[in-house]
Amino acid sequence: MKILKQEVREVLEYNILRFWIDRMQDDEHGGFYGRIDNNNVLNTDADKGAILNARILWTFSAAYRVLRKPVYLEMANRAKRYFIDHFIDPKYGGVYWSLDYKGVQAEAVVGFINIFQHFHDESAFKKALCCWQYIKDKMIDYKNGEWYWSRHRDRTLNTTDDKAGFWKCPYHNGRMCLEIIERKI
């Protein structure tokens, strides 16, 4: 087990996290680039998605919690700031699905809770609560179960995308709920 842990840590730090630190930061428009292909061609004008950015927030906040390297805290704070400034809808609440290169609810809650729990950042806790309130008010299907995929810009429910399917499974929503339940906050 010791060898496995060491190998996994090396892959995480020097392959996965280093890739995002070195290749995916968008220094011109902020946040992170939305796409690099399998030939390592960076698409600097690809849209930036909420799920991708919430997962970046979660990943680097968890990496700092576990590995305690300051660069991971810097990346978590970069992701947090970009997410708050660009993905949170200040008028209607909730999270924008995607943005153009200039500028998902459950992933956002977990990312903000990580920042709050490990760095005592009250603004992150408030954002987590705002996202959770939006989920309760706008996303949960209390009659038939599960959560809706998203809402359109005009705030109507997205009933085109399935509530369950290849990309919509209990992992994200369930993981958020389980992580909140098990936290000692």
Side-chain angles (χ1 to χ4, degrees), residues 51-89:
I51 291 174
L52 172 65
N53 281 269
R55 288 175 177 169
I56 292 168
L57 171 60
W58 178 87
T59 299
F60 280 102
S61 60
Y64 181 76
R65 177 177 50 84
V66 172
L67 303 171
R68 291 297 204 219
K69 291 194 174 180
V71 67
Y72 302 150
L73 176 58
E74 291 171 26
M75 296 296 286
N77 280 323
R78 176 189 183 92
K80 178 193 85 164
R81 186 78 266 139
Y82 190 81
F83 202 92
I84 289 171
D85 291 347
H86 298 281
F87 282 102
I88 301 291
D89 183 338

Side-chain angles (χ1 to χ4, degrees), residues 36-55:
I36 191 169
D37 70 19
N38 285 320
N39 295 312
N40 293 307
V41 175
L42 181 64
N43 183 343
T44 59
D45 60 353
D47 288 350
K48 297 179 178 192
I51 291 174
L52 172 65
N53 281 269
R55 288 175 177 169

Side-chain angles (χ1 to χ4, degrees), residues 3-126:
I3 292 171
L4 175 62
K5 281 186 176 186
Q6 183 59 38
E7 289 175 351
V8 167
R9 181 180 179 145
E10 288 174 10
V11 167
L12 174 65
E13 288 199 76
Y14 302 111
N15 183 275
I16 298 169
L17 299 176
R18 181 59 39 204
F19 174 88
W20 287 90
I21 292 168
D22 293 344
R23 310 268 329 262
M24 296 304 289
Q25 291 186 73
D26 183 346
D27 292 326
E28 183 177 353
H29 299 106
F32 299 85
Y33 293 113
R35 183 169 186 264
I36 191 169
D37 70 19
N38 285 320
N39 295 312
N40 293 307
V41 175
L42 181 64
N43 183 343
T44 59
D45 60 353
D47 288 350
K48 297 179 178 192
I51 291 174
L52 172 65
N53 281 269
R55 288 175 177 169
I56 292 168
L57 171 60
W58 178 87
T59 299
F60 280 102
S61 60
Y64 181 76
R65 177 177 50 84
V66 172
L67 303 171
R68 291 297 204 219
K69 291 194 174 180
V71 67
Y72 302 150
L73 176 58
E74 291 171 26
M75 296 296 286
N77 280 323
R78 176 189 183 92
K80 178 193 85 164
R81 186 78 266 139
Y82 190 81
F83 202 92
I84 289 171
D85 291 347
H86 298 281
F87 282 102
I88 301 291
D89 183 338
K91 185 173 181 180
Y92 298 105
V95 174
Y96 295 124
W97 181 252
S98 68
L99 308 167
D100 67 23
Y101 67 95
K102 297 177 184 169
V104 161
Q105 316 299 335
E107 302 286 344
V109 172
V110 174
F112 286 130
I113 288 294
N114 279 346
I115 293 287
F116 167 71
Q117 183 176 9
H118 303 295
F119 315 117
H120 310 291
D121 183 332
E122 290 293 327
S123 69
F125 185 67
K126 288 177 185 174

